[in-house]
């Protein structure tokens, strides 16, 4: 059974709220930069970038992170997708980084992303923004900005779809029957 | 992404989609070499042995840097300082190195087929870093990457390869790779340096350099192997260079977008003139630059690209 938990309007409102929360917590846009984790974290980061531009009239820098090279399950027999490039064209030392991803689950992707960021410099802080927090953390990582908390069981799949990559805005919960 | 083969001995071991994947992965990995801290943890705890029985600057350094940028431990062995000088056989050397559990063995040897022979006796994956007059697959891959970056495509491009085709492993690997990718290949050189069987590979032959350069997209010059002069393949360097040295004069009818390649080491003034080597069409140093990325991509794909058979 599949069910949609967020429709396009819900996603829009969640991103608007996250953008306001980011600005509130950081008291504006000074030293603020966005980094999206490939693939849908980048879309989330772009949406937040647009929203902040709308509110504050400032275009934040946006970096793209591919965390494949930092994964802890490489060589564990999984098929990896073809590696894509990391594109962070600005210095990150001293910046407040908003790290963006679509779904927060075990926290292992975020661990890899933080390790990757540290190879580029010493940011003032790294804050985490996610559209969905589905629980089941395996590492001591928590988000700073959340679109929606969705309690799930471990064998469920949460699929975030964005117009840019999937043709429509929607979040699906997929119950996989074992 | 998984490569079709666990050893990289010949371009023939690679499927067309493998070549695309290697080039795409290499393109993604280039960014690491532009960082201040040029290292990612991907191959931490992996061991790569470079076993070189022939002199090399570019290839050996390039493999070493590629391994180190991915955090692998890289050990270099050159024949002159190994037990090969005490008469240890090739296979014994290979078995002994394998007993120390390397994850990849990179082999260069002056005789064709040595990497293949060693690979058939040991379990560890083998990469051919140049064997005799047979193949130099990683050179062909870095050449393709350099061409694709400039021309944005490979299919349909016209390339001429100039020099001692018969004795060149670079030429052989490039011809195989370029034909796989749908490029149109012509070889140019004195008849003594053109091997038989070019037609079967879908390659045409030309003996006049200036004419062959009309309308081509890529010119690949090969090194004249000084050690072969005694074999009588050409009568003198002066005669060879008057006919086949790439000069501004011979290039006058070539396209404005033509790119000029050379695998190195260069004999300045023999196969290519100094002003052309250092001129705007030359991509010789881009080739070296791309060599690191291509070798990083191969190490990554062989060791961490995922394997459907493993658990």
């Amino acid at each position: 059974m599949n069910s949609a938990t967020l429709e396009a309007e819900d996603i829009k409102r969640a991103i608007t709220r996250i953008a306001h929360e980011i600005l509130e917590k950081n008291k504006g846009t000074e030293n603020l930069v966005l980094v999206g984790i490939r693939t849908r974290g980048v879309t989330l980061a772009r949406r937040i970038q647009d929203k902040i531009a709308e509110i504050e009239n400032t275009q934040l820098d946006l970096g793209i992170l591919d965390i494949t090279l930092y994964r802890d399950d490489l060589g564990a027999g999984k098929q990896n997708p073809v590696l894509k490039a990391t594109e962070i064209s600005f210095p990150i030392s001293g910046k407040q980084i908003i790290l963006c991803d679509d779904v927060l689950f075990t926290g292992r992707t975020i661990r890899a992303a933080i390790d990757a960021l540290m190879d580029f410099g010493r940011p003032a802080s790294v804050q985490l923004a996610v559209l969905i927090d589905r629980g089941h953390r395996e590492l001591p990582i928590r988000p700073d900005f959340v679109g929606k908390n969705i309690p799930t069981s471990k064998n469920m799949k949460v699929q975030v779809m964005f117009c840019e990559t999937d043709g429509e805005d929607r979040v699906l919960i997929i119950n996989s029957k074992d | 992404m998984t490569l079709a083969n666990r050893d990289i001995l010949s371009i023939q071991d690679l499927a067309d989609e493998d070549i695309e994947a290697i080039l795409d992965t290499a393109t993604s990995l280039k960014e690491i070499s532009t960082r201040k801290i040029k290292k990612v943890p991907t191959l931490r705890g992996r061991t790569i042995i470079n076993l070189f029985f022939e002199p090399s600057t570019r290839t050996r350094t390039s493999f070493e840097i590629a391994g180190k940028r991915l955090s692998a431990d890289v050990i270099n062995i050159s024949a002159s300082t190994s037990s090969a000088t005490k008469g240890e056989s090739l296979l014994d050397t290979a078995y002994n190195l394998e007993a120390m559990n390397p994850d990849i063995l990179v082999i260069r040897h002056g005789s064709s087929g040595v990497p293949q022979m060693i690979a058939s006796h040991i379990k560890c994956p083998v990469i051919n870093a140049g064997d005799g007059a047979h193949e130099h697959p990683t050179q062909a891959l870095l050449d393709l990457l350099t061409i694709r970056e400039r021309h944005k495509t490979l299919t349909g491009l016209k390339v001429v390869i100039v020099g001692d085709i018969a004795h060149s492993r670079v030429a052989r690997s490039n011809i195989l790779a370029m034909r796989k990718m749908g490029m149109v290949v012509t070889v140019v050189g004195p008849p003594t340096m053109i091997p038989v069987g070019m037609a079967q590979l879908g390659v045409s032959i030309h003996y006049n350099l200036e004419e062959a350069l009309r309308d081509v997209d890529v010119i690949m010059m090969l090194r004249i192997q000084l050690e072969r002069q005694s074999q009588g393949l050409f009568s003198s360097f002066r005669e060879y260079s008057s006919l086949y040295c790439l000069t501004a004069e011979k290039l006058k009818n070539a396209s404005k977008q033509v790119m000029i390649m050379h695998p190195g080491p260069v004999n300045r003034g023999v196969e290519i003139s100094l002003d052309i080597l250092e001129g705007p069409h030359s991509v010789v140093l881009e080739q070296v630059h791309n060599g690191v990325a291509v070798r990083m991509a191969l190490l990554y794909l062989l060791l961490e690209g995922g394997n459907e058979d493993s658990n």
Side-chain angles (χ1 to χ4, degrees), chain A residues 69-88:
Chain A
L69 297 170
Y70 292 83
R71 290 175 72 105
D72 59 7
D73 56 354
L74 277 172
K78 275 195 184 169
Q79 279 290 83
N80 293 315
V82 171
L83 187 70
K84 300 256 180 58
T86 288
E87 299 164 22
I88 299 179

Side-chain angles (χ1 to χ4, degrees), chain A residues 33-175:
Chain A
V33 298
L34 295 158
V35 172
I37 300 173
R38 281 189 195 275
T39 302
R40 288 175 186 76
V42 180
T43 311
L44 179 64
R46 289 217 174 94
R47 301 267 183 104
I48 294 173
Q49 184 189 37
D50 289 346
K51 190 50 78 178
I52 288 178
E54 209 179 294
I55 304 163
E56 295 278 314
N57 230 343
T58 314
Q59 184 85 354
L60 298 186
D61 280 334
L62 193 154
I64 297 173
L65 211 52
D66 185 299
I67 55 106
T68 311
L69 297 170
Y70 292 83
R71 290 175 72 105
D72 59 7
D73 56 354
L74 277 172
K78 275 195 184 169
Q79 279 290 83
N80 293 315
V82 171
L83 187 70
K84 300 256 180 58
T86 288
E87 299 164 22
I88 299 179
S89 55
F90 46 86
I92 65 162
S93 290
K95 301 285 186 190
Q96 317 283 356
I97 296 181
I98 311 296
L99 183 62
C100 304
D101 205 0
D102 55 345
V103 180
L104 179 59
F105 184 22
T106 61
R108 288 178 190 269
T109 300
I110 304 305
R111 191 283 306 163
I114 293 171
D115 276 0
L117 280 177
M118 295 304 164
D119 280 356
F120 283 87
R122 186 179 187 278
S125 72
V126 179
Q127 302 160 36
L128 177 60
V130 298
L131 187 60
I132 305 293
D133 181 354
R134 59 169 294 191
H136 302 289
R137 218 78 75 236
E138 292 169 5
L139 294 170
I141 281 169
R142 58 156 183 80
D144 298 278
F145 311 101
V146 184
K148 190 173 168 64
N149 285 294
I150 302 180
T152 56
S153 73
K154 266 202 158 180
N155 53 12
M156 286 176 175
K157 200 170 169 263
V158 176
Q159 191 178 0
V160 170
M161 301 164 81
F162 284 127
C163 291
E164 293 88 328
T165 43
D166 314 286
E168 59 174 336
D169 273 6
R170 177 175 255 196
V171 178
L172 288 176
I173 307 262
I174 298 160
N175 279 311

Side-chain angles (χ1 to χ4, degrees), chain B residues 50-69:
Chain B
N50 284 330
L51 180 55
F52 277 59
F53 291 93
E54 252 192 1
S56 167
T57 307
R58 267 158 298 273
T59 307
R60 197 195 55 72
T61 313
S62 182
F63 265 110
E64 181 172 356
I65 288 178
K68 287 183 170 170
R69 292 210 173 141

